[in-house]
Amino acid sequence: METIYQRMGAEELAAAIAALEAEVAEVTAKGLKLDMARGKPSPEQVAISRPLLDVLSSSADLMDEGVDCSNYGCFEGIPSARRLAGSFLGVPAGQTIVLGSSSLNIMQSVLVHYWEKGVPGYTPWRKLESVKFLCPVPGYDRHFGLTQDLGIENIPVRMTPTGPDMDEVERLVAEDSSIKGMFCVPKYSNPTGITYSDETVRRLATMKCAAPDFRIVWDNAYCVHDLTDHGDKLLNIHDVALEAGNEDRVLEFASTSKITFPGAGVAFFGSSFANMAEVSRTLQVGLISANKLNQLAHARFLPTMDALHAHMAKHAEFLRPRFALVQEKLRDGLGETGCATWTNPNGGYFVSFDSQPGSAKRIVALCLQMGVKLTPAGATWPYGIDPEDTNIRIAPTYPSLEELGAALDILVLATKLVCAQLASEERA
Ligand code: PMP
């Protein structure tokens, strides 16, 4: 699509650039310090979970259905927390494990286990000449870091409005047995905010894989993070996989990091019974039992899915105006320019922004010069390399509305200037 700057005559373009440069100089002089890089809830948002801290006290009953939460034991998690995990993940409670605060940490443990020991019955991945993982892009940099750290090759696959490009995924996994897995954030994906369509979920659960030990890291980090009462609906992948005889393929993860306290919640693992039992045996080598008091506090604070949804509705009140402001500022500032496109998600924590090819790094640098920190350009691609240099992740949740508005004005200004400069450079 042609930008307004490409359509301008030489003189008009030069004047537009001069005007934008003057604006940039003015903003730079203000010495602002704004941050739109962090996918964290705001402090006021986190504070809504404070009553969880009052659930337990020195006089509280610390038994959970016969399990003493104040002592060792019950590795897979206390009954009430596993029930919550089961409803949350869409598997029977007996197929879940509830662990410490971080789902990323469990993902790493499971991948390291397959690397060292292999998926049961198959060669350890470390002994293979080549191991590859499919990485939907734009995607979550910490996923890509897990595999990169092990020496697994990350292969990017384009995201579409219905999920990863499934024609490409099916083609790759059918022909290459060194592709051992794939990362998926199926609901309100990080950073596009899109939810996988039923067809995408079905194809992932049933596709023919050359590697019999192919695994999907189904990271459902945002599965209850709707902005409104009419959130996206995600098909239960376990049901489809079970029907197709592929129930061991799906490893689901989630946590309460963006429900209660980031870094101090509980994390969930759910899969087939066989995978649950095997992962449990492996993790037990290095852990006698997780923090069951925290599990108990969480299970009492969020005893049912209804209670959980009511809690999430409170979170949404903080998030809705921020996401609305992103759409308003980008539409008003860039809507007519042709300089960028962006997503408009119904939930999650991010908006994905795509500028002209070859401009994302320049925009992020220019924003930093004007006092706005963004996630580094390229972070949404494996190895930090966005081949077209277009993608920027917008994280609108942490700043106050006022700060967010100021940061978005700066993003708009930087995008316009770089877009105009590119039009001018094209002609030179
Ligand atoms: N997965 C995704 C998609 C995330 O965006 C994040 C960051 N909140 C995590 C996992 C990390 O979650 P945890 O705190 O449970 O490790």
Side-chain angles (χ1 to χ4, degrees):
M1 177 172 151
E2 218 183 21
T3 69
I4 48 161
Y5 301 109
Q6 286 168 322
R7 271 182 259 132
M8 284 179 181
E11 265 180 41
E12 197 187 354
L13 179 58
I17 291 176
L20 289 164
E21 281 173 345
E23 253 187 89
V24 167
E26 210 176 292
V27 177
T28 304
K30 287 187 190 163
L32 298 173
K33 229 173 164 291
L34 302 165
D35 196 328
M36 215 170 31
R38 292 173 297 184
K40 302 203 295 192
S42 63
E44 310 81 64
Q45 208 189 320
V46 174
I48 66 169
S49 297
R50 277 177 168 257
L52 184 151
L53 302 173
D54 300 327
V55 168
L56 297 186
S57 66
S58 60
S59 56
D61 172 14
L62 300 181
M63 299 295 286
D64 184 71
E65 300 173 31
V67 172
D68 182 357
C69 299
S70 65
N71 213 325
Y72 275 148
C74 207
F75 179 83
E76 289 85 0
I78 64 172
S80 59
R82 285 183 94 193
R83 245 193 334 271
L84 179 69
S87 328
F88 201 91
L89 303 175
V91 291
Q95 291 174 214
T96 66
I97 309 176
V98 182
L99 283 162
S101 63
S102 164
S103 58
L104 191 73
N105 189 239
I106 318 175
M107 286 175 226
Q108 184 184 38
S109 299
V110 174
L111 292 176
V112 169
H113 172 58
Y114 292 158
W115 179 258
E116 288 290 334
K117 299 264 177 77
V119 169
Y122 299 97
T123 310
W125 293 353
R126 77 186 150 84
K127 292 196 173 165
L128 302 172
E129 210 163 282
S130 157
V131 180
K132 301 179 192 133
F133 245 68
L134 299 186
C135 300
V137 287
Y140 181 38
D141 55 349
R142 287 184 185 271
H143 281 165
F144 307 157
L146 294 175
T147 33
Q148 186 182 341
D149 186 54
L150 290 171
I152 293 172
E153 187 185 342
N154 287 330
I155 311 285
V157 177
R158 276 276 177 196
M159 283 292 276
T160 75
T162 54
D165 177 344
M166 283 310 298
D167 290 343
E168 179 73 350
V169 170
E170 284 171 344
R171 189 182 64 76
L172 288 167
V173 299
E175 70 188 21
D176 187 349
S177 64
S178 68
I179 299 177
K180 295 296 184 191
M182 173 171 182
F183 291 110
C184 293
V185 183
K187 190 163 170 190
Y188 304 136
S189 187
N190 179 350
T192 62
I194 70 108
T195 297
Y196 292 14
S197 68
D198 290 0
E199 191 198 339
T200 298
V201 174
R202 276 197 199 97
R203 288 171 78 176
L204 285 165
T206 58
M207 66 191 179
K208 292 225 169 352
C209 300
D213 51 348
F214 180 86
R215 293 290 181 262
I216 297 176
V217 173
W218 196 250
D219 180 357
N220 221 343
Y222 300 107
C223 67
V224 290
H225 300 62
D226 305 315
L227 284 175
T228 67
D229 293 340
H230 313 287
D232 295 351
K233 295 275 174 280
L234 177 71
L235 190 67
N236 184 328
I237 192 169
H238 301 283
D239 292 346
V240 192
L242 183 65
E243 226 177 272
N246 291 333
E247 65 271 24
D248 292 339
R249 178 180 292 181
V250 185
L251 310 166
E252 185 168 4
F253 302 85
S255 77
T256 64
S257 279
K258 289 172 185 174
I259 297 173
T260 58
F261 298 110
V266 291
F268 305 132
F269 172 80
S271 188
S272 64
F273 186 82
N275 280 346
M276 182 283 300
E278 206 255 338
V279 166
S280 175
R281 271 195 305 278
T282 300
L283 299 183
Q284 275 186 71
V285 174
L287 183 71
I288 302 175
S289 74
N291 181 345
K292 295 197 295 298
L293 291 175
N294 200 29
Q295 292 182 19
L296 185 64
H298 275 79
R300 287 189 183 162
F301 184 59
L302 303 168
T304 59
M305 284 306 279
D306 281 348
L308 182 72
H309 287 304
H311 186 67
M312 294 314 291
K314 289 187 204 159
H315 278 299
E317 282 177 31
F318 291 91
L319 298 174
R320 254 192 325 268
R322 287 173 166 80
F323 277 80
L325 189 61
V326 173
Q327 297 303 320
E328 183 193 313
K329 289 282 186 187
L330 296 183
R331 192 182 52 237
D332 292 354
L334 297 170
E336 305 294 317
T337 64
C339 293
T341 57
W342 54 91
T343 56
N344 184 9
N346 296 322
Y349 263 62
F350 304 101
V351 172
S352 181
F353 179 91
D354 278 298
S355 52
Q356 294 286 293
S359 68
K361 279 204 170 80
R362 279 167 72 168
I363 292 170
V364 170
L366 193 52
C367 283
L368 197 61
Q369 178 198 311
M370 288 188 274
V372 174
K373 193 171 162 211
L374 290 166
T375 310
T380 53
W381 281 71
Y383 312 107
I385 301 167
D386 173 356
E388 298 227 308
D389 187 26
T390 65
N391 191 248
I392 295 172
R393 184 179 85 162
I394 297 177
T397 59
Y398 190 82
S400 67
L401 269 176
E402 199 187 7
E403 288 168 338
L404 179 64
L408 287 162
D409 286 340
I410 287 172
L411 173 63
V412 165
L413 175 57
T415 303
K416 287 200 311 209
L417 177 53
V418 173
C419 187
Q421 286 169 338
L422 282 177
S424 164
E425 287 159 22
E426 265 167 25
R427 291 177 198 186

